[in-house]
Each structure stands twice: as structure tokens, then as C-alpha cells.
Amino acid sequence: MSQQNTEAKNLVEIKHLKEYFNVNVGFFKSRPLKAVDDVSFTIKKGETLGLVGESGCGKTTVGRTILNLYKPTDGEIWYDGKLIKTNADIKEFRKKATMVFQDPYSSLNPRMTVSDIIGEPLDVHNLYKSKEERRERILELMNYVGLNSEHASRYAHEFSGGQRQRIGIARSLAVNPEFIVCDEPVSALDVSIQAQVINMFDELQDKLGLTYLFIAHDLLVVRHISDRIAVMYLGKMVELADANEIYSNPLHPYSKSLLSAVPVPDPKVARANKRIVLSGDIPSPLNAPSGCPFRTRCPHAKEDCALSMPEFKEISKGHFVACHHVEDVN
Ligand SMILES: Nc1ncnc2c1ncn2[C@@H]1O[C@H](COP(=O)(O)OP(=O)(O)OP(=O)(O)O)[C@@H](O)[C@H]1O
Ligand code: SF4
Ligand SMILES: [Mg+2]
């Protein structure tokens, strides 16, 4: 979590973002799969926004679409007060924004040395004037992520998952990014080293003034690093609030169920937080329910929940929820 200046300006503004994939559903028939469906949020400079939700709810697609790795079906992406629209905008934006991937095993070429992996973006973007400057920059980047100079000539396959993730992060930092989409960067790692890597993200943020969209399945993982947390379900955002507020006062029935699965140290809170087990599976985004996407699993669903999509409304300052019956369920 960063030392937040509450007056900080929005670095990233996402307005009504949609990403629909055309998928084949039979001979010559395709249908739009609404992976991200009208999602809006902002991230302030220096802030970490945690993005959580079950597998397939659209988290990675949000991250990739923001970076224009997928062309948005609709909606707007603003960065530092500027709409990202033309190819020239995208090219400029990519110098400042990057992504760290989930799987440190498949995202690095095992037959390249650490120095070549980290040096590649420096070469591609012409970011040094001499061999010596290149070498120094690589060592500086390695130092940022807790690797030392002896690691430079070793191959990626010689490293553990946690160290590979550090190499991947050093590579992402090579272009001096301001904004990083961290797509489940610790999910593939042993639980015992997840906290170390998360702490490293935290320290790097303070040192380099970074802004993060930090994606995770699990509310526990994002708890310490996030300033605010957004919860997604079936391509929609269902709740967004300050991290402390989400933990102490979740308002959407889906967030409540996610949170009830997280162990809490305070016994009073734990008693109040009875485990809510949802029935059924997440529907396919190809056959999303009408109205509220959560209604097929919601313990509070009423008839009108099938009729219209609840508006994503600000219930108290900075706390947004999409539920028709938010007053009754709380
Ligand atoms: N390139 C693609 N083409 C077609 N469908 C896709 C594509 N990428 C993702 N999807 C679908 O879009 C939906 C959202 O996928 P996405 O990978 O964004 O979810 P996620 O929340 O990141 O899941 P996970 O937690 O498993 O990483 C899923 O139904 C997925 O099958
Ligand atoms: S709108 Fe209805 S179905 Fe959706 S979360 Fe609220 S009560 Fe549940
Ligand atoms: Mg994903």
C-alpha cells in the first residue's frame, strides 16, 4: 500500500469498458462472449487498486484491454488526462504502462541468461548509450528486485519460481514504467514466498512511485497491498471501495461470500462473518443471466433481480455497489 495523498490525481480512468470476444458456437455460428461488460473505475497516481473475483470473471481481460493488448469493443481508456485512441497514443502509452504475468515459468525464455532477459527491452527501446551503461542499468534493475550480480550470467531455468518472478519484474521495470498491471503475480508461487514477493511490489512502488492494478483471485492476497479493492463477477464490477471498508463493511452479497472465506484474526469479526457457501457454479458468460449477473447464486435474489441490471451506485463516499436490494441485505 502506498503512502497515499488523497488529493492525488487520477492516472488511469476507465469508462464503460467492454471487451466482447466472438466465439464459435456451431457451424458458421458465432456469439459475443461478454468477458468485460461496461466496467468503469479510476486509479490515482501512486495508488494500488486490487481487482478480485473468481476464475473467468474477466480480470485478465480488463488488464489486457486497458493496455490495448486487446482492442476494446467499446468504452474509453484515459491515461494522465489523455484519451488513448490512435495508434500513436497507444505506442506512447505502452512506454509508460506494462504488465507482469502470472506464470513465471512460461513467461521467460529458460535458455536466456538473466542479463539478456532484462537487457532485451533496453535493446528494443534503445535505452542506453554504451555497453557499460547497459550493464549498469541491468545490475540496477536486478538490485531493485533483490538479485545480485552473480545471478546475471545464469539461465532462467536455474531459478526457483519466486526468483523467476523477480527476473520478470526487473524486465518489466527496464522501460521505466509508471503504471503496471500485475496479473496474479504470486498465484503460481508457493504460499511461503508469496508475502515476500508482495512486499517487494510494495517497496518498489514507494521507491519508484509506481501505480498498480493488482489482480488476484483471493481477497487475502490483495489485502495489504491495495488502497482500494474492486470485485468483479461475470464481466461486471459489483463493488468498489477502500480496502479497509471492503473488509469491514462489504455490501454486495458476492463480496460478502468471498470475504467469508478469508480467515480473519479478530474472533469477534470472525463470528460475525459466518461462512457463506454459494450454491451452483458461475454461469458461462455466453449464457449470462438476465438482470443481475449474480442472481442465480445470490441468497437474497428476488423476482425483480431478473428484470434489470442493478446500477453501480455510490452508496457512501467512495463505496460503489451494484445491487437492487443493498439496503435489505445489509
Ligand atoms: N482470447 C479470448 N477469446 C475468447 N474468450 C476469451 C479470451 N480470453 C478470455 N476469454 C474468456 O473471457 C472470460 C474472462 O476471461 P479472463 O481470462 O479475463 O478471466 P480471469 O478473471 O482472468 O480468470 P482467471 O482467474 O482464471 O485468470 C472467460 O470466459 C474466458 O474464457
Ligand atoms: S440485485 Fe438481487 S440478485 Fe443481484 S446481488 Fe442484489 S439481491 Fe442479489
Ligand atoms: Mg486471469
Side-chain angles (χ1 to χ4, degrees), residues 294-321:
F294 189 52
R295 71 174 169 84
T296 52
R297 297 169 82 198
C298 178
H300 306 280
K302 302 192 174 56
E303 264 174 38
D304 64 336
C305 298
L307 300 179
S308 62
M309 172 64 204
E311 192 192 336
F312 195 53
K313 260 197 314 213
E314 191 167 13
I315 301 287
S316 57
K317 193 166 178 338
H319 194 155
F320 294 81
V321 186

Side-chain angles (χ1 to χ4, degrees), residues 55-56 58-61 102 183-184 215 217:
S55 185
K59 305 179 296 296
T60 296
T61 307
Q102 171 169 6
D183 189 8
E184 308 216 30
I215 298 173
H217 266 80

